Amino acid sequence: MRHDDPRLPSSPGFWRSPLRGTWFTSVLGLVLLVGITVLFVTGLVSYAAYNPNLAPVNDQTPDKGILGFYLFSWPTNPYWLYRLTQGLHVTLGVTLIPVLLAKLWSVVPKLFTLPPARSLAHALERISLLLLVGGGLFEFTTGVLNVQLDYVFPGSFYPLHFYGAWVFFAAFVAHAALKVPAALRAVRQRRGHEGELASTRPDAPTVSRRGALWFVGGASLLLLVTTAGQSVGGALRRTALLAPHGGADPGSGPNGFQINKTAAYAGIDAKETGGEAWRLVVTGRDGRTVRLSRTELLQLPLHSAALPIACVEGWSTADQWWRGVRLRDLAALVGYDGDPPDVLVESIQLHGAFRRAALRANQVADPRSLLALQVNGEDLSPDHGYPARVIVPAAPGVLNTKWVARMTFGDL
């Protein structure tokens, strides 16, 4: 068969939908231009929030090299910063899925165009298109799986998503540079010439292009409504039907708010956390070490802070009232009476990611950063980190280590 045989996808006559056209594709493309740029920026911000340059235990992306050029010390103000940026990242990513799929559908005939390259410029465009499509599908798929807590990746989600994002966005920028001027012209013209994307043998239309755009927009709105509540919280959480942490708050009482990792999942044995067995080991200047029982911690000056927990999956809690010992006060016990240094926090948890986490000096120094012993007026439950957990303003949830056993203050 010849490549222009209408029975082959390489033939323009194979694609019959009357919806395809330059205007339709351009509108979708310009929406993605804005949306994906915001996704990329908020994704980089999320990576910076882990303080990856602080210590190897925080960095899940080895050999990042120049890709870490933008990194900065993550602040503690405003305290809801990570809740905002990561909630926006995840909610926008889910909301854009119908737009992405519609855009890919609108240009799928170009993936089968023959010959593969008519010129050097055309070859570069085709390569960027393959990287764009592959990278986009990879990033959105892994992101959705991570949001749904389905960790089925052939490796850690963090380096896969990080490196995939750079490949995808590089192709995205190259493609945008080639196509945005034409897309803007097509949108301004609104109707008329539909270009090479239009079918040469269109079927009878059953819906207009504007109607198709309304359908895509409606699908995005539905995903927004059924996802955003896990980040916004309050009454809207009940609408987050597609989010693992949507719906009503789990359980009731002071400890009745969202968690990812239960004590049973983490392998926490109640014998290890009992009053006779558990001790917090705090090490500091010149190897100075103190061992504190929970009773002894409760006898130290206690402070309270209203802080949420916000996780990389996009979910967050409302502000919870935490009470415990300030991290900077623990640093003072082991010789750091002035400005406290960084700290390495280690959990009783023996396996799994983020059983150890490093916090920067500015996070230790913040008066709201606590080794929490209670929440909402009650002792922590086992699932929320009993006998003690870290809570730090604006930090990703995984850095708020639960079931803390050891804290080492000093340069990391």
Side-chain angles (χ1 to χ4, degrees):
M1 295 184 181
R2 299 180 307 171
H3 66 78
D4 59 351
D5 189 309
R7 292 172 293 178
L8 294 177
S10 59
S11 170
F14 179 86
W15 307 97
R16 304 292 299 277
S17 174
L19 294 179
R20 289 190 178 92
T22 302
W23 180 82
F24 182 74
T25 298
S26 297
V27 172
L28 296 171
L30 292 175
V31 171
L32 289 174
L33 176 66
V34 176
I36 288 176
T37 300
V38 173
L39 281 181
F40 184 69
V41 171
T42 52
L44 294 185
V45 165
S46 178
Y47 181 58
Y50 282 76
N51 288 321
N53 280 348
L54 178 59
V57 298
N58 283 14
D59 195 357
Q60 301 295 314
T61 53
D63 301 322
K64 60 183 176 293
I66 62 171
L67 298 184
F69 70 92
Y70 68 95
L71 294 176
F72 54 94
S73 297
W74 188 248
T76 56
N77 286 305
Y79 73 90
W80 40 259
L81 178 61
Y82 192 73
R83 184 183 187 189
L84 172 66
T85 60
Q86 193 61 12
L88 175 61
H89 180 77
V90 170
T91 302
L92 180 60
V94 172
T95 302
L96 285 178
I97 288 174
V99 184
L100 176 70
L101 294 178
K103 176 66 161 61
L104 294 179
W105 173 85
S106 74
V107 298
V108 71
K110 298 195 69 176
L111 297 179
F112 295 91
T113 301
L114 295 177
R118 297 189 298 267
S119 65
L120 178 60
H122 185 240
L124 292 174
E125 178 187 348
R126 295 296 296 274
I127 293 172
S128 72
L129 190 62
L130 288 174
L131 292 174
L132 184 69
V133 172
L137 292 175
F138 177 82
E139 285 298 289
F140 276 81
T141 299
T142 55
V144 168
L145 288 173
N146 189 63
V147 168
Q148 295 299 322
L149 310 180
D150 291 328
Y151 304 117
V152 294
F153 317 108
S156 172
F157 166 76
Y158 300 92
L160 289 173
H161 205 65
F162 177 80
Y163 291 125
W166 278 104
V167 172
F168 169 53
F169 196 70
F172 178 76
V173 169
H175 187 74
L178 292 169
K179 294 298 182 181
V180 165
L184 291 173
R185 287 195 301 270
V187 171
R188 284 196 296 265
Q189 292 173 359
R190 297 190 180 184
R191 297 182 182 276
H193 178 60
E194 287 301 337
E196 59 183 358
L197 294 174
S199 174
T200 58
R201 300 170 58 234
D203 287 330
T206 57
V207 64
S208 69
R209 289 187 175 118
R210 291 186 183 274
L213 287 177
W214 277 110
F215 177 79
V216 173
S220 289
L221 179 62
L222 178 63
L223 289 177
L224 173 65
V225 170
T226 54
T227 302
Q230 72 166 349
S231 300
V232 177
L236 286 179
R237 190 177 295 279
R238 296 186 179 91
T239 69
L241 303 177
L242 297 182
H245 291 282
D249 288 345
S252 60
N255 279 273
F257 54 95
Q258 292 75 18
I259 57 171
N260 259 10
K261 190 182 300 179
T262 65
Y265 175 86
I268 303 301
D269 190 334
K271 296 178 181 178
E272 298 178 282
T273 60
E276 296 301 320
W278 182 85
R279 294 293 184 274
L280 173 69
V281 180
V282 185
T283 302
R285 193 187 300 275
D286 300 323
R288 187 182 307 181
T289 299
V290 297
R291 294 170 58 87
L292 299 166
S293 68
R294 197 171 190 278
T295 300
E296 290 170 326
L297 284 168
L298 287 168
Q299 292 171 351
L300 295 175
L302 301 181
H303 301 269
S304 297
L307 300 172
I309 296 174
C311 280
V312 69
E313 296 91 357
W315 67 269
S316 59
T317 72
D319 291 356
Q320 310 296 325
W321 275 101
W322 307 91
R323 188 162 179 79
V325 181
R326 286 174 172 168
L327 298 188
R328 68 187 191 186
D329 291 344
L330 291 172
L333 289 178
V334 289
Y336 293 100
D337 296 319
D339 292 335
D342 307 329
V343 64
L344 176 66
V345 183
E346 300 177 77
S347 173
I348 294 173
Q349 180 185 346
L350 297 178
H351 56 81
F354 294 103
R355 60 187 181 276
R356 300 190 300 161
L359 299 172
R360 288 192 184 276
N362 68 302
Q363 294 173 311
V364 176
D366 193 292
R368 297 163 296 179
S369 296
L370 304 175
L371 179 72
L373 306 171
Q374 300 170 336
V375 63
N376 299 322
E378 186 176 277
D379 286 347
L380 297 169
S381 69
D383 288 342
H384 281 298
Y386 181 90
R389 69 167 298 161
V390 166
I391 187 74
V392 175
V398 291
L399 298 187
N400 293 316
T401 308
K402 297 194 287 188
W403 313 294
V404 175
R406 178 181 291 272
M407 306 181 73
T408 305
F409 291 91
D411 294 333
L412 302 180

